[in-house]
């Protein structure tokens, strides 16, 4: 499919004179005049302005109200309260029988039944990246076409197809970008790439409210938009799912398959064969309108968290479309002036070619899905996997929650047991039988892979969920360890053991303990942290245990108990009342219990800061722990009085040198600065922390052609892999971790040599650290025994650095506590 076809792109001397109406997109034919056109509802032609999400919703509702071919539902809302719509488009006859069609479709994945007369199910989704808007704008024309066309071809299509139509995967991002493009549009459209219209302000419209790339969340399912989408997917199990994107303006149009050597080995070959056959329909349709395109030369099908790859491990066929972007209304490119309507037309064309392929390949694709699940049922092991954390029920629960969202059967642990020297406790652990329908998806989620056909990856090369969630894990577990199947998954209830007149102890192991501690401190209640292990009342307590004395507090004993009981229940945390301060080990009045300062945390955001990283931190504070986080933009940072803040977080960034003196003064006076990734280099280069960096030594490169030089350099990039490190659990950065080792996500080649004094290396990579994913031989040599964390004094304050992201994509629960420890205990390091 490596063919390139010539294109004629209209270049108008006065772009504003170009008049576009629906006929530019639609095939010639008769259309029902009773069906409202987009313009009649939204007030402009498709492609004349960028559609805002509110107008998109308005049109889809008007369309559904006008025809018996379409039903519409709201499946939830975004963080900003925008509705997550799904249209079901099929023939009126099918609509009267839609639930029977759905149940028969699902039944065919469970049994060998005749599927020859079943409709094929196609999920069409648009613009998961908000600033790649041609998809959602094309959705207006596609939906109109399917509703209004009187052609026999469309009627036949709808008779044999159920279309699940998602006009905007990312409502918040689409709205943000539409506002930008429309408010910067000139009457005489200026295609000069330097025009403000084509240079969005930070954080840009690609992401959702909390700045997540939602096209990485299909597998982790951490965001409300994803949860609605995945529920629809599993409810229907569509045969084809399309994902409409944009890419660089100088590119043409891409459709899958991607690079064959970068396909995940768990994906059946038949999936790729069918994808390639479907591609012939795209080629034919784009040939007809004279558009350039390509296939099999870029992008991949490796990470199952992307929209075009997730279907592949679920018996479906995922298809990625990438259109060169006008990033506004028209832009100069190497192919001439690329207009917004042109990008929309290509997306429209690909949407229709998908439906044509689905109709003509219907039986073949339905049989493929049926055989996929037949093989899955027949090849599953009669064993199970188990995961859990005997001291952290919440973390284990949230991993179980992901499995339940994917309709994977999970069981409680029948009774406590030990396997591979790990304890799996009832109520804290879950058993997953591998003789179930979705066992291939389970394998994909917990997959460990260290060898690859290719050394380049479009995204991460590892996502092993037990490592990401930081839970203990074992395979080949006897099914006899499984208790009852869990139908209604519930989190462990929190409580306070009894009302005390002396004090309360809260172990720091549970995931939501930072939420409780923050609420305690914000209430003005004094709390201390244990710097040593001890026993009280026959119970053992580890480093990091929080002690809340009763006496000399602003709340009386009864009110304090009631407040803590409420917090414990809301946060699913266990707090123990104590009647004595006399311990085995340090007593509760010991100076080894250090007072905790109420944190007031700021984070630098804006130009120069990686928006993904800052968004993940914002989400962690705001959504998980209910903590205030003041986001200070680089535009006005120099004017801010920093004295009111105890901590400043600087995500991966390239800040200007002008900020350094202000930060230095603040840290000298007692502030704690926490820097991630490239910020570590910035802090070191400005003499705020002493770091000894290392890097891979690349031998003389021989035998590599000019054509392949990018492959050689790309192989040195760590796109995302998982590594093992040793922990010194007595160090405050590691409080709350029960194991002596930790799995860390890494997507950088920032290596810091270990200190000669071992106590300054509380987190240190092992001598053979790769747990899962790709790393070059050169980098594998360097990473051994290096450190991903450093802390040093600077005046009265502290400088803390992490070489990599501890909050990656919201599903790395296992390392979230590292940042919380830096916040609450940073001044004790």
């Amino acid at each position: 499919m490596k063919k390139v076809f010539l294109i004629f792109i209209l270049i108008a001397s006065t772009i504003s004179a170009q008049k576009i109406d629906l006929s530019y997109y639609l095939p010639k034919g008769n259309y029902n005049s009773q069906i409202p056109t987009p313009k009649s509802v939204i007030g402009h032609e498709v492609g004349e302005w960028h559609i805002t999400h509110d107008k998109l919703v308005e049109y889809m509702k008007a369309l559904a109200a006008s025809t018996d071919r379409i039903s519409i539902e709201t499946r939830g809302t975004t963080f900003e309260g925008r509705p997550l719509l799904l249209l079901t488009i099929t023939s009126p006859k099918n609509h009267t029988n839609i639930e029977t069609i759905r149940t028969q479709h699902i039944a065919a994945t469970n049994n060998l039944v005749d599927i020859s007369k079943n409709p094929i199910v196609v999920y069409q989704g648009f613009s998961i990246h908000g600033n790649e808007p041609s998809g959602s704008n094309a959705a207006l024309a596609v939906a109109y076409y399917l509703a209004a066309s009187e052609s026999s071809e469309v009627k036949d299509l709808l008779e044999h197809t159920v279309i699940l139509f998602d006009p905007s995967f990312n409502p918040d991002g689409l709205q943000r970008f539409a506002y930008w493009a429309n408010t910067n549009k000139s009457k005489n459209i200026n295609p000069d790439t330097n025009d403000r219209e084509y240079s969005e302000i930070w954080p840009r419209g690609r992401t959702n409210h909390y700045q997540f790339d939602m096209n990485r969340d299909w597998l982790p399912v951490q965001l409300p938009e994803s949860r609605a989408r995945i529920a629809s997917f599993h409810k229907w199990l569509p045969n084809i799912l399309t994902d409409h994107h944009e890419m660089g303006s100088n590119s043409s149009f891409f459709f899958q398959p991607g690079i064959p050597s970068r396909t995940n080995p768990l994906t059946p070959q038949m999936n790729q064969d069918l994808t390639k056959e479907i591609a012939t329909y795209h080629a034919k349709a784009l040939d007809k309108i004279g558009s350039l395109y390509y296939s099999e030369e870029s992008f991949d099908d490796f990470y199952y968290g992307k929209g075009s790859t997730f279907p592949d491990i679920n018996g479906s066929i995922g298809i990625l479309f990438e259109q060169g972007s006008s990033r506004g209304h028209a832009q100069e490119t190497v192919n001439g002036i690329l207009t917004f309507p042109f990008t929309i037309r290509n997306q429209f064309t690909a949407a229709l070619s998908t439906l044509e392929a689905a109709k003509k390949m219907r039986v073949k694709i339905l049989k493929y899905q049926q055989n996929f699940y037949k093989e899955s049922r027949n090849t599953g092991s009669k064993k199970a996997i188990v995961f859990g954390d005997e001291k952290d029920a919440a973390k284990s629960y949230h991993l179980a929650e992901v499995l339940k969202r994917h309709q994977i059967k999970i069981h409680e642990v029948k009774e406590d047991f030990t396997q591979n020297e790990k304890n799996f406790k009832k109520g804290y652990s879950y058993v997953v039988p591998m003789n179930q329908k979705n066992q291939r998806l389970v394998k994909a989620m917990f997959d460990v892979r260290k060898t690859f056909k290719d050394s380049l990856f479009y995204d991460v090369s590892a996502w092993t969920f037990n490592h990401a969630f930081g839970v203990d894990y074992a395979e080949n577990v006897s099914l006899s360890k499984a208790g009852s199947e869990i139908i209604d998954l519930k989190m462990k209830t929190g409580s306070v053991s009894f009302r005390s007149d002396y004090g309360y102890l809260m172990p720091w192991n549970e995931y939501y303990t930072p939420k409780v501690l923050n609420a305690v401190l914000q209430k003005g209640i004094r709390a201390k942290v244990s710097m040593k292990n001890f026993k009280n009342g026959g119970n053992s307590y580890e480093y990091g245990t929080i002690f809340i004395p009763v006496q000399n507090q602003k709340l009386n004993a009864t009110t304090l108990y009631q407040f803590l009981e409420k917090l414990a229940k809301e946060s699913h945390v266990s707090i123990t009342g104590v009647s004595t301060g006399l311990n085995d080990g340090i007593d509760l009045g010991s100076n080894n219990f250090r007072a905790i300062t109420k944190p007031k945390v700021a984070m630098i955001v804006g130009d120069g800061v990686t928006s993904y990283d800052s968004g993940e931190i914002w989400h962690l504070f705001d959504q998980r722990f209910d903590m205030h986080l003041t986001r200070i933009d680089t535009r006005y940072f120099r004017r801010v009085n920093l004295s009111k803040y105890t901590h400043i977080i600087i995500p991966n960034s390239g800040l200007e040198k002008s900020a350094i003196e202000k930060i230095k003064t603040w840290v000298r006076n007692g502030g704690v600065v926490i820097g991630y990734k490239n910020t570590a280099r910035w802090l070191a280069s400005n003499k705020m922390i002493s770091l000894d960096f290392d890097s891979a030594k690349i031998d003389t490169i021989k035998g590599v052609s000019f054509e392949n030089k990018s492959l050689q350099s790309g192989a040195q990039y760590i796109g995302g892999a998982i590594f093992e490190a040793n922990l010194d659990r007595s160090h405050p950065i590691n409080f709350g971790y029960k194991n002596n080792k930790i799995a860390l996500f890494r997507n950088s080649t920032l290596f810091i040599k270990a200190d000669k004094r071992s106590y300054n290396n509380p987190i240190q990579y092992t001598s053979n650290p790769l747990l899962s994913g790709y790393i070059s031989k050169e980098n594998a040599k360097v990473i051994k025994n290096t450190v991903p964390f450093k802390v040093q004094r600077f005046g009265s304050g502290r400088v803390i650095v992490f070489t990599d992201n501890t909050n990656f994509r919201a599903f790395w629960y296992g390392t979230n506590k590292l940042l919380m420890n830096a916040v609450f205990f940073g001044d004790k390091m």
Side-chain angles (χ1 to χ4, degrees):
M1 189 64 62
K2 298 180 179 177
K3 299 179 180 178
V4 178
F5 288 76
L6 293 176
I7 181 176
F8 176 77
I9 299 178
L10 176 64
I11 304 177
S13 59
T14 306
I15 299 173
S16 60
Q18 183 183 15
K19 299 297 183 183
I20 297 294
D21 58 26
L22 271 179
S23 65
Y24 178 68
Y25 309 106
L26 300 180
K28 292 180 180 179
N30 295 323
Y31 292 88
N32 187 340
S33 62
Q34 300 303 307
I35 304 300
T37 64
K39 184 179 181 179
S40 69
V41 176
I42 65 176
H44 61 81
E45 295 287 0
V46 174
E48 182 181 0
W49 295 88
H50 282 251
I51 189 67
T52 56
H53 187 261
D54 56 319
K55 287 188 174 183
L56 182 67
V57 170
E58 183 183 6
Y59 180 66
M60 293 301 163
K61 288 182 176 179
L63 201 58
S66 70
T67 176
D68 53 3
R69 294 180 180 180
I70 298 178
S71 64
I72 192 168
E73 61 181 297
T74 299
R75 301 165 294 167
T77 59
T78 68
F79 282 117
E80 295 178 12
R82 293 188 174 87
L84 297 165
L85 299 184
L86 184 71
L87 284 67
T88 302
I89 307 176
T90 189
S91 70
K93 177 185 174 182
N94 287 343
H95 267 299
T96 63
N97 200 31
I98 196 69
E99 183 57 21
T100 300
I101 290 173
R102 188 190 69 81
T103 55
Q104 288 177 345
H105 181 77
I106 296 298
T109 66
N110 296 321
N111 304 283
L112 288 179
V113 296
D114 181 20
I115 48 80
S116 61
K117 295 182 180 179
N118 289 5
I120 190 169
V121 181
V122 180
Y123 193 126
Q124 294 188 295
F126 302 89
S127 299
I128 201 165
H129 297 143
N131 62 358
E132 299 176 5
S134 57
S136 284
N137 283 267
L140 294 164
V142 176
Y144 171 79
Y145 172 73
L146 294 172
S149 175
E150 299 283 15
S151 73
S152 58
E153 291 83 2
V154 169
K155 290 178 180 178
D156 184 58
L157 167 71
L158 296 180
E159 191 66 31
H160 294 92
T161 312
V162 174
I163 303 163
L164 305 175
F165 196 80
D166 196 330
S168 174
F169 276 148
N170 181 3
D172 295 347
L174 183 73
Q175 188 80 8
R176 194 183 316 135
F177 180 73
Y179 169 80
W180 176 264
N182 290 338
T183 57
N184 285 285
K185 179 187 177 184
S186 301
K187 182 186 74 169
N188 295 293
I189 296 172
N190 184 357
D192 187 336
T193 57
N194 294 318
D195 190 81
R196 189 170 190 263
E197 181 180 353
Y198 313 114
S199 183
E200 296 172 79
I201 58 171
W202 192 96
R204 291 168 282 281
R206 178 182 177 90
T207 54
N208 77 341
H209 177 78
Y210 284 99
Q211 300 158 210
F212 284 96
D213 183 337
M214 292 198 301
N215 197 39
R216 305 298 184 266
D217 194 46
W218 291 73
L219 199 59
V221 207
Q222 296 300 303
L223 307 171
E225 300 93 337
S226 305
R227 293 171 187 176
R229 186 183 340 115
I230 292 303
S232 297
F233 182 93
H234 287 298
K235 179 180 178 180
W236 273 97
L237 291 181
N239 301 98
I240 299 173
L241 185 146
T242 57
D243 190 13
H244 291 253
H245 287 252
E246 292 182 359
M247 53 184 167
S249 299
N250 287 325
S251 300
S252 58
F253 190 89
F254 169 86
F255 50 81
Q256 286 183 311
I259 297 174
S261 62
R262 300 180 196 170
T263 300
N264 194 301
L266 295 177
T267 298
Q269 181 58 45
M270 180 58 72
N271 171 283
Q272 294 297 289
D273 294 343
L274 290 170
T275 303
K276 195 165 185 175
E277 185 175 348
I278 292 170
T280 63
Y281 289 84
H282 308 319
K284 180 181 177 182
L286 291 167
D287 285 347
K288 190 174 180 180
I289 62 172
S291 285
L292 285 168
Y293 58 82
Y294 70 100
S295 186
E296 296 186 286
E297 290 182 37
S298 59
F299 305 100
D300 64 35
D301 282 316
F302 191 81
Y303 172 47
Y304 287 123
K306 297 187 302 176
S308 59
T309 312
F310 173 78
D312 297 343
I313 197 63
N314 285 283
S316 303
I317 299 167
I319 298 176
L320 170 68
F321 297 120
E322 293 274 357
Q323 165 63 48
S325 180
S326 65
R327 276 295 190 272
H329 291 87
Q331 215 178 140
E332 295 168 347
T333 75
V334 296
N335 295 312
I337 295 177
L338 178 63
T339 67
F340 186 40
F342 180 84
T343 68
I344 295 170
R345 186 172 65 161
N346 278 348
Q347 299 278 24
F348 175 89
T349 300
L352 266 55
S353 62
T354 300
L355 296 175
E356 182 185 4
K359 184 179 76 169
K360 292 183 177 178
M361 297 172 62
R362 179 178 61 86
V363 175
K364 182 187 295 188
I365 294 174
L366 286 169
K367 284 184 177 179
Y368 164 72
Q369 183 183 60
Q370 190 174 49
N371 290 334
F372 176 94
Y373 282 108
K374 174 189 173 184
E375 185 177 339
S376 186
R377 291 192 303 273
N378 292 341
T379 58
S381 163
K382 293 187 178 177
K383 292 284 188 176
I385 63 170
V386 62
F387 64 85
D389 186 320
E390 62 179 323
K391 294 185 177 181
D392 188 352
K395 221 168 40 178
S396 304
Y397 163 86
H398 284 302
L399 177 49
E401 187 179 42
V402 174
L403 297 177
K404 289 291 286 182
R405 287 180 184 137
H406 287 302
Q407 297 192 1
I408 292 167
K409 294 180 180 180
I410 61 174
H411 293 245
E412 63 182 14
V413 171
K414 184 183 293 185
E415 57 186 23
D416 298 358
F417 72 96
T418 300
Q419 185 153 332
N420 300 341
E421 301 181 351
K422 300 294 184 184
N423 298 323
F424 296 99
K425 185 177 175 182
K426 186 174 182 178
Y428 289 72
S429 303
Y430 301 89
V431 175
V432 185
M434 293 303 290
N435 59 344
Q436 61 173 294
K437 175 181 179 179
N438 286 330
Q439 57 93 4
R440 283 180 165 179
L441 181 57
V442 176
K443 286 180 180 177
M445 294 176 72
F446 294 91
D447 189 39
V448 172
R449 196 166 299 277
K450 299 181 183 180
T451 57
F452 303 88
K453 285 184 178 180
D454 205 315
S455 58
L456 300 184
F457 299 86
Y458 185 72
D459 199 72
V460 296
S461 62
W463 52 88
T464 316
F465 272 65
N466 53 295
H467 293 322
F469 280 78
V471 293
D472 294 328
Y473 172 83
E475 297 177 342
N476 298 316
V477 175
S478 170
L479 290 173
S480 65
K481 303 295 185 183
S484 302
E485 182 182 352
I486 298 173
I487 305 302
D488 184 17
L489 180 67
K490 293 182 179 178
M491 205 186 303
K492 183 178 75 72
T493 303
S495 64
V496 179
S497 61
F498 65 86
R499 177 193 174 283
S500 173
D501 288 322
Y502 193 90
Y504 300 91
L505 293 172
M506 181 177 69
W508 193 242
N509 306 97
E510 283 282 358
Y511 182 80
Y512 287 106
T513 49
K515 180 179 178 180
V516 175
L517 178 58
N518 181 67
V520 165
L521 296 174
Q522 297 302 325
K523 190 75 172 178
I525 299 169
R526 291 182 296 105
K528 297 184 176 185
V529 60
S530 168
M531 304 299 289
K532 292 181 179 292
N533 296 332
F534 64 95
K535 289 184 179 180
N536 180 288
N539 296 319
S540 296
Y541 294 90
E542 297 181 341
Y543 308 104
T545 297
I546 305 302
F547 172 49
I548 303 169
V550 172
Q551 299 304 314
N552 200 27
Q553 297 280 17
K554 64 185 294 185
L555 303 181
N556 62 42
T558 299
T559 307
L560 177 61
Y561 165 73
Q562 292 171 342
F563 177 68
L564 293 177
E565 176 74 5
K566 180 174 181 290
L567 284 180
K569 287 181 178 179
E570 291 174 349
S571 304
H572 310 278
V573 167
S574 296
I575 300 175
T576 303
V578 296
S579 55
T580 179
L582 185 64
N583 293 336
D584 181 0
I586 59 170
D587 296 326
L588 296 185
S590 166
N591 286 335
N592 279 301
F593 280 89
R594 305 273 181 84
I596 305 171
T597 303
K598 178 175 71 174
K600 187 168 180 59
V601 186
M603 178 171 65
I604 298 178
V605 300
D607 289 341
V609 176
T610 302
S611 61
Y612 294 155
D613 295 25
S614 66
E616 289 157 357
I617 295 169
W618 178 24
H619 177 268
L620 182 71
F621 274 72
D622 197 35
Q623 289 289 326
R624 298 269 172 84
F625 298 135
D626 289 341
M627 294 173 64
H628 284 151
L629 178 66
T630 300
R631 290 164 295 138
I632 303 174
D633 199 286
T634 53
R635 291 180 297 110
Y636 57 82
F637 174 76
R638 58 187 179 84
R639 302 195 302 270
V640 175
N641 179 4
L642 299 181
S643 63
K644 64 193 296 186
Y645 303 106
T646 58
H647 299 71
I648 294 177
I649 300 172
I650 311 178
N652 185 43
S653 62
L655 295 181
E656 295 179 358
K657 198 170 181 68
S658 59
I660 195 65
E661 290 305 320
K662 190 180 185 76
I663 294 174
K664 278 184 176 180
T665 300
W666 173 79
V667 176
R668 284 194 188 101
N669 291 332
V672 177
V673 64
I674 303 169
Y676 278 95
K677 297 176 72 172
N678 285 333
T679 302
R681 285 194 185 278
W682 184 76
L683 291 167
S685 66
N686 286 285
K687 312 300 182 186
M688 287 193 68
I689 186 170
S690 176
L691 301 175
D692 187 4
F693 294 104
D694 203 355
S695 60
K697 307 298 186 292
I698 309 299
D699 295 332
T700 301
I701 299 172
K702 297 180 179 180
V704 177
S705 67
F706 178 82
E707 178 186 13
N708 292 324
K709 68 174 184 176
S710 63
L711 302 181
Q712 175 68 29
S713 59
Q716 300 304 320
Y717 177 68
I718 301 176
I722 304 171
F723 299 88
E724 183 180 62
N726 291 316
L727 297 183
D728 172 1
R729 292 195 293 126
S730 71
H731 194 286
I733 196 62
N734 297 321
F735 284 177
Y737 287 96
K738 73 176 184 66
N739 294 333
N740 293 322
K741 294 183 185 296
I742 190 173
L744 299 169
F745 175 81
R746 166 176 278 267
N747 61 354
S748 81
T749 52
L750 190 68
F751 304 116
I752 300 175
K753 293 180 180 179
D755 194 275
K756 294 179 180 178
R757 290 158 290 194
S758 61
Y759 54 80
N760 285 334
N761 305 315
I763 310 175
Q764 184 172 15
Y765 288 118
T766 64
S767 58
N768 186 25
L770 181 64
L771 291 172
S772 187
Y774 170 80
I775 186 172
S776 70
K777 292 179 181 179
E778 295 85 354
N779 284 323
K781 291 178 182 178
V782 179
I783 195 174
K784 294 179 180 181
N785 302 312
T786 60
V787 294
F789 164 85
K790 274 286 192 179
V791 56
Q792 289 174 16
R793 286 178 175 270
F794 188 82
S796 298
R798 301 290 189 281
V799 178
I800 295 173
V801 297
F802 293 97
T803 61
D804 284 276
N805 188 349
T806 59
N807 317 293
F808 188 63
R809 292 180 181 168
F811 77 102
W812 269 81
Y813 280 78
T815 50
N816 287 158
K817 189 155 283 183
L818 294 174
L819 176 56
M820 290 297 108
N821 288 346
V823 168
F824 288 108
F825 315 131
D827 60 348
K828 296 162 184 55
M829 297 179 186

